[in-house]
Amino acid sequence: MASRPENGGAPPPPLPRRPPPRVLLLRHPHHFSLIDRPLPDGFRFLKPWESPLPFDDFLSSADARSAEAILTSAGTIGFEVAKRLEAFGCAVSYNSRKQKPYVSYPFYSNVCELATNCDVLVICCGLNEQTHHMINREVLLALGKKGVIVNIGRGPIIDEKEMVQLLVQGELGGAGLDVFEKEPYVPEELLGLDNVLLSPHAAVLTPETVSNLCYLIIRNLEAFFSNKPLLSPVLDE
Ligand SMILES: NC(=O)C1=CN([C@@H]2O[C@H](COP(=O)(O)OP(=O)(O)OC[C@H]3O[C@@H](n4cnc5c(N)ncnc54)[C@H](O)[C@@H]3O)[C@@H](O)[C@H]2O)C=CC1
Ligand SMILES: O=CC(=O)O
């Protein structure tokens, strides 16, 4: 049986519309403040599938055309992000531990150099010993006052304390964050900034992701038990 709502059965307040995570990548920094406001008491984040409006409503004002977007990693998610950014006319480059022969985007071996040369830095690599605090003060300063950092990977890849300080001081242009260093804790300062867009580690939460994941698991198991190549082998690259 469904549990009784904490407010004694009164209908919940209308849910505010929250941005879908992909908008973190596409929304122009100037529009951040229109959609990201601290939630008043009694409100909660909307799950993407609860939304009464189509996601694409949010894309209408997206303007990433002038941006040179750079990815850290050209992994599975990095590729998908790059495809979408390219469609918006962004010049895409990437960083990884080593250049990937099958990736045609320009490669930067140094994250700081990469940050110096881009408008938007999208973090979509995995978290490991090398990537922990890989995005430090130096990298964020290289991204600069007009630069925007987007993190859909893992919170500890960015030195969050430094990032918050630089955002507050105006030394970093903006941020779109789906992940945080000590989830579910979100630094208080971020909630009050107009140039910051937050989502609650929800990038993965779409009906399509869940069904694709089930499909992938089944196809991998079928391949494994038939001694065929796996669809998504784990590669150390
Ligand atoms: N926010 C969310 O809801 C979600 C977040 N994620 C995060 O995104 C990450 C990436 O996911 P996938 O693309 O599927 O994984 P993947 O394994 O395909 O890609 C990971 C990439 O990280 C790169 N990488 C590893 N160490 C690096 C380093 N030192 N410097 C630069 N690049 C480095 C690898 O080269 C690889 O291209 C996951 O590890 C996970 O933490 C994944 C799914 C949903
Ligand atoms: O962050 C989510 C995941 O699937 O990884």
Side-chain angles (χ1 to χ4, degrees), residues 72-78 95-97 100 111 124-128 130-131 134 151-154 157 178-179 201-205 235 237:
T72 65
S73 108
T76 315
I77 292 176
N95 158 260
S96 195
R97 283 168 292 191
K100 299 183 179 180
V111 189
C124 39
C125 59
L127 175 64
N128 53 43
Q130 289 167 325
T131 60
M134 177 172 74
N151 192 2
I152 49 168
R154 285 288 181 266
I157 297 171
D178 185 54
V179 287
H201 198 147
V204 74
L205 297 177
L235 303 171
E237 53 179 13

Side-chain angles (χ1 to χ4, degrees), residues 207-221:
E208 292 86 356
T209 323
V210 176
S211 58
N212 287 347
L213 196 58
C214 294
Y215 177 77
L216 190 62
I217 291 169
I218 292 166
R219 294 295 305 275
N220 268 319
L221 287 170

Side-chain angles (χ1 to χ4, degrees), residues 15-37 39 45-64 88 196-199:
L15 296 172
R17 181 78 173 100
R18 305 303 297 174
R22 68 177 162 162
V23 175
L24 295 179
L25 310 174
L26 297 172
R27 186 163 283 277
H28 191 278
H30 296 166
H31 298 294
F32 275 5
S33 60
L34 299 181
I35 53 173
D36 186 48
R37 289 267 145 231
L39 296 181
F45 282 110
L46 254 192
K47 298 279 190 302
W49 55 84
E50 294 174 320
S51 159
L53 296 170
F55 286 170
D56 288 346
D57 278 9
F58 275 104
L59 299 183
S60 55
S61 63
D63 178 8
F88 279 81
V196 172
L197 178 60
L198 308 173
S199 61

Side-chain angles (χ1 to χ4, degrees), residues 176-196:
L177 307 168
D178 185 54
V179 287
F180 304 88
E181 192 150 0
K182 296 192 177 97
E183 292 175 11
Y185 167 75
V186 177
E188 190 74 29
E189 297 95 318
L190 292 179
L191 301 178
L193 292 174
D194 275 353
N195 54 349
V196 172

Side-chain angles (χ1 to χ4, degrees), residues 65-77:
R65 276 167 304 180
S66 58
E68 167 126 8
I70 313 251
L71 307 164
T72 65
S73 108
T76 315
I77 292 176

Side-chain angles (χ1 to χ4, degrees), residues 83-103:
K83 266 198 297 193
R84 285 152 182 78
L85 289 174
E86 269 196 308
F88 279 81
C90 294
V92 175
S93 305
Y94 78 102
N95 158 260
S96 195
R97 283 168 292 191
K98 51 186 186 228
Q99 188 161 10
K100 299 183 179 180
Y102 51 88
V103 177

